Amino acid sequence: MGEAALRTRMTEQEYLAFERAAEGRHEYADGEIFAMSGGTWAHSLLASNVIRELSTSLLERPCTAHGSDMRIHIPSTGRYTYADALVVCGDPVLTDGVSDTVENPVVIVEVLSDSTEKYDRGDKFELYQSIASLRDYVLVSQKKARIEHFRRQPDGTWMLRASGPGERVVLESIESELWVDRVYLKVFAPPAA
């Protein structure tokens, strides 16, 4: 999580009003807001590639893929977060009737960075686990072609499978898959000068 943007405590309603008017993005936790940092070339491309692959695979299914503009509300804690990508199936459950915050993602994807990796693997994943609809949590490395897939089991535990070059991540909950090589397409090639 980033640094606290303001020291003033806010209610959830005040946060939503603030965030909807803000230029940048902020997460909300326990009355405080936290500014989100900008991303790198690799981070942006990885997130774009994931969204492209998910969107394409979901064209004929009742699910939609979204990018980091869609906020996630975690009802059990009152927290608000952003993910790099997420998938919602069926009708979205929207916070306060405005279509910028969902409560029922089925898949959440985070692209790991040095500044967020500990949070994405720890506290943020713990928060996400309280979302009843969530079935798949996917972590995408920026350092090498490696995707970690946590899948919720029927007993509520989470099973991890890591995939590398030439492999695929099977997302049974949405009848889709992510090919590692396609997610990392052009990522490690230097941008044209």
Side-chain angles (χ1 to χ4, degrees), residues 134-151:
L134 186 65
R135 295 290 169 262
D136 298 284
Y137 184 56
V138 179
L139 299 175
V140 179
S141 173
Q142 279 190 74
K143 296 178 180 176
K144 60 183 174 180
R146 178 182 167 89
I147 299 176
E148 295 174 44
H149 172 214
F150 293 86
R151 185 171 47 138

Side-chain angles (χ1 to χ4, degrees), residues 6 32 40 52 54 71 86 96 101 123 142 145 177:
L6 297 175
E32 291 188 89
T40 64
R52 180 196 65 236
L54 289 172
R71 190 172 30 255
L86 63 93
D96 73 0
T101 309
D123 291 344
Q142 279 190 74
E177 57 193 23

Side-chain angles (χ1 to χ4, degrees), residues 7 25 31 58 60 94 109 124 127 134 142 168 185:
R7 293 290 177 204
R25 292 181 308 141
L58 297 173
E60 303 297 324
L94 303 171
V109 180
K124 200 170 194 183
L127 291 168
L134 186 65
Q142 279 190 74
R168 64 192 169 111
L185 192 63

